[in-house]
Amino acid sequence: MVDLTELMENEVFMAFTSYTTIILSKMMLMSTATAFYRLTRKVFANPEDCAGFGKGENAKKYLRTDDRVERVRRAHLNDLENIVPFLGIGLLYSLSGPDLSTAILHFRLFVGARIYHTIAYLTPLPQPNRALAFFVGYGVTFSMAYRLLKSRLYL
Amino acid sequence: MVDLTELMENEVFMAFTSYTTIILSKMMLMSTATAFYRLTRKVFANPEDCAGFGKGENAKKYLRTDDRVERVRRAHLNDLENIVPFLGIGLLYSLSGPDLSTAILHFRLFVGARIYHTIAYLTPLPQPNRALAFFVGYGVTFSMAYRLLKSRLYL
Amino acid sequence: MVDLTELMENEVFMAFTSYTTIILSKMMLMSTATAFYRLTRKVFANPEDCAGFGKGENAKKYLRTDDRVERVRRAHLNDLENIVPFLGIGLLYSLSGPDLSTAILHFRLFVGARIYHTIAYLTPLPQPNRALAFFVGYGVTFSMAYRLLKSRLYL
């Protein structure tokens, strides 16, 4: 069996691992938030989910949409749309040998911006709080993409 | 050119590769399931998709939503929301040198739970079948995230 | 600190890096397209987003859906559903030591097909333009998955 400790002793890769694990875990908590609002507000998308609240027509009234639930779902989808590119581009960037402090700055800004984005979306805070958080995360990912395409282009 | 066979001779990484390929392929089949229901039930989201079924107003009646199609789409989105964190956290976990049998247990539980989740969603099976499948996959991913943050934290 | 240049000197991995960075950047531009249509058409999903256009009831009229915005969002979601499997399966495929020209053919076809898919979706072009673009990308990903499962199965 091969020793992989080399990769995991690389500091940039270790930092990427920590920040990615944190932001993916945060994203997973959005599922819990959706489930929480669905249960406390009795708002469901599937008939089988509200079967415990009554029979037949009585249960069907819980098949509805709710502003609060839809808001969490939009925040979750926005996370997916932005964390997937960070995951892919960030991984390749980490393997491309960037400067440690530059890399950590990118990871910290992204993770901070996405956590602030969630707070701004769920509170909700007035704009442009959410828009600024979005653009910081967006800019960080493009900055890493730019470095990759500039130094490693191979088509 | 560099020989990458080292990484692919690591048994944990080989197992991660196999299970990830299986569960991502399963997720892709959800697109086919959506297309199948759209075509057999004539339910479309875009005017150009139902142009073959008639002209003008006659075609527009197929621009509608359908319970069955929406169910498959919800199952697909739930897959995305859960398989993306597994992909990222699982990859980093596989590279962090876990015990082989522990790692394989994690991968098997996740893949089994997500396949059962799809069956429970599409049949549909009564709750808590789908909820339990969801929480097994969720717990497995958090268990890998916990190990990464406990042993490799570098912020 | 460990030298990772080995991995980044592998030509297949360099090609995967370039094509993945390009297609993930393209996917991120879908967010900008959504924002563009939301702002120019004044169509919003959140009350705080249209607070600048008026107070109270006057602002609420902008909380609506719009065909054009929904079309971009469907294209974005379709990207996510297809680029995530490519990201995972393509990464593992790149590490499994494929033939360089075969690998590059896979990456080029996928990236070309997804860019054409976006053009076909947003123009919109008549079917089967979009369907064909979808199936080329889909087939490429399954072809890489097949190779991985055939040569590296370890369950």
Side-chain angles (χ1 to χ4, degrees):
Chain A
M1 195 160 144
V2 175
D3 192 9
L4 284 176
T5 47
E6 265 192 44
L7 193 58
M8 275 296 177
E9 272 163 20
N10 179 286
E11 287 172 288
V12 171
F13 199 79
M14 280 171 71
F16 175 72
T17 297
S18 297
Y19 286 103
T20 299
T21 305
I22 288 168
I23 203 64
L24 286 173
S25 302
K26 186 218 78 66
M27 188 175 90
M28 289 180 73
L29 291 179
M30 304 304 276
S31 299
T32 317
T34 305
F36 172 78
Y37 284 118
R38 282 204 184 282
L39 287 169
T40 53
R41 296 184 166 225
K42 296 190 180 171
V43 177
F44 299 99
N46 299 291
E48 67 270 27
D49 298 352
C50 43
F53 294 110
K55 296 284 179 202
E57 290 309 308
N58 202 25
K60 271 190 189 166
K61 70 180 178 202
Y62 300 119
L63 291 178
R64 49 186 176 171
T65 56
D66 175 272
D67 275 358
R68 194 75 213 169
V69 172
E70 293 307 306
R71 181 176 283 278
V72 182
R73 293 184 64 220
R74 285 196 299 273
H76 197 168
L77 188 57
N78 194 285
D79 261 359
L80 257 182
E81 288 169 358
N82 288 282
I83 294 176
V84 165
F86 174 80
L87 185 61
I89 292 172
L91 175 70
L92 299 168
Y93 169 81
S94 302
L95 296 173
S96 73
D99 180 56
L100 178 62
S101 59
T102 313
I104 287 186
L105 180 67
H106 278 79
F107 303 156
R108 275 187 194 154
L109 273 175
F110 183 85
V111 169
R114 292 310 305 178
I115 290 174
Y116 190 71
H117 183 272
T118 302
I119 294 169
Y121 217 144
L122 298 190
T123 306
L125 298 179
Q127 287 285 24
N129 279 288
R130 199 182 89 230
L132 285 178
F134 173 83
F135 279 112
V136 170
Y138 202 72
V140 165
T141 311
F142 267 121
S143 162
M144 296 191 298
Y146 173 75
R147 186 190 189 279
L148 277 171
L149 291 182
K150 197 182 140 208
S151 65
R152 304 275 164 181
L153 198 64
Y154 186 96
L155 297 176
Chain B
M1 195 161 142
V2 174
D3 191 9
L4 283 176
T5 48
E6 265 194 43
L7 193 57
M8 275 295 178
E9 272 163 19
N10 179 285
E11 287 171 288
V12 171
F13 198 78
M14 281 172 71
F16 175 73
T17 298
S18 297
Y19 286 103
T20 298
T21 306
I22 289 168
I23 202 64
L24 285 173
S25 302
K26 185 218 77 67
M27 189 176 88
M28 289 180 73
L29 291 178
M30 304 304 276
S31 299
T32 317
T34 304
F36 172 79
Y37 285 119
R38 282 204 185 282
L39 288 169
T40 54
R41 297 184 167 225
K42 298 190 180 172
V43 177
F44 299 98
N46 299 294
E48 68 270 26
D49 299 351
C50 42
F53 294 110
K55 296 280 177 203
E57 290 307 310
N58 201 24
K60 270 191 188 164
K61 71 180 178 202
Y62 300 119
L63 291 179
R64 50 186 176 171
T65 57
D66 175 273
D67 274 359
R68 195 73 214 171
V69 171
E70 293 307 306
R71 182 176 281 277
V72 181
R73 294 184 64 220
R74 285 196 299 274
H76 198 167
L77 187 58
N78 194 284
D79 260 0
L80 258 182
E81 289 169 358
N82 288 281
I83 293 175
V84 165
F86 175 80
L87 185 60
I89 292 172
L91 174 70
L92 299 168
Y93 169 81
S94 301
L95 295 173
S96 73
D99 180 57
L100 177 62
S101 59
T102 313
I104 287 186
L105 180 67
H106 278 79
F107 304 155
R108 276 187 193 153
L109 272 174
F110 184 84
V111 169
R114 292 310 306 178
I115 291 174
Y116 190 72
H117 184 272
T118 303
I119 295 169
Y121 217 145
L122 298 190
T123 306
L125 297 179
Q127 288 285 23
N129 278 288
R130 198 181 90 229
L132 285 178
F134 173 83
F135 279 113
V136 170
Y138 202 73
V140 165
T141 312
F142 266 121
S143 162
M144 296 190 299
Y146 173 75
R147 189 190 186 279
L148 277 171
L149 291 182
K150 198 181 137 206
S151 65
R152 302 275 164 181
L153 198 64
Y154 187 95
L155 297 177
Chain C
M1 196 160 143
V2 174
D3 192 8
L4 283 177
T5 48
E6 266 194 42
L7 193 57
M8 276 295 177
E9 271 162 20
N10 179 286
E11 288 172 287
V12 171
F13 198 79
M14 280 172 70
F16 175 72
T17 297
S18 297
Y19 286 103
T20 299
T21 305
I22 289 167
I23 202 63
L24 285 173
S25 302
K26 186 217 78 63
M27 188 175 90
M28 288 180 74
L29 291 179
M30 304 304 276
S31 299
T32 316
T34 304
F36 172 79
Y37 285 119
R38 283 205 184 280
L39 288 169
T40 54
R41 297 185 165 224
K42 298 191 180 170
V43 177
F44 299 98
N46 299 294
E48 68 269 26
D49 298 352
C50 43
F53 295 110
K55 296 281 178 204
E57 289 309 309
N58 201 26
K60 271 192 187 165
K61 71 180 176 201
Y62 300 119
L63 291 179
R64 50 188 175 170
T65 57
D66 175 272
D67 275 359
R68 195 76 213 169
V69 172
E70 294 307 306
R71 182 177 283 277
V72 181
R73 294 185 63 220
R74 285 196 299 274
H76 198 167
L77 187 57
N78 194 284
D79 262 0
L80 257 182
E81 289 170 357
N82 287 282
I83 293 176
V84 165
F86 175 79
L87 184 62
I89 292 171
L91 175 69
L92 300 167
Y93 169 81
S94 301
L95 296 173
S96 73
D99 180 55
L100 177 62
S101 59
T102 313
I104 287 185
L105 180 67
H106 277 79
F107 303 156
R108 277 186 192 154
L109 272 174
F110 183 85
V111 168
R114 292 310 305 179
I115 290 174
Y116 190 72
H117 183 272
T118 302
I119 295 168
Y121 217 145
L122 298 190
T123 307
L125 299 179
Q127 288 286 22
N129 279 288
R130 197 181 90 230
L132 285 179
F134 173 83
F135 279 113
V136 170
Y138 202 72
V140 165
T141 311
F142 266 121
S143 162
M144 296 190 299
Y146 173 75
R147 189 192 187 276
L148 277 171
L149 291 182
K150 198 182 138 207
S151 66
R152 302 277 165 181
L153 199 64
Y154 186 96
L155 298 177

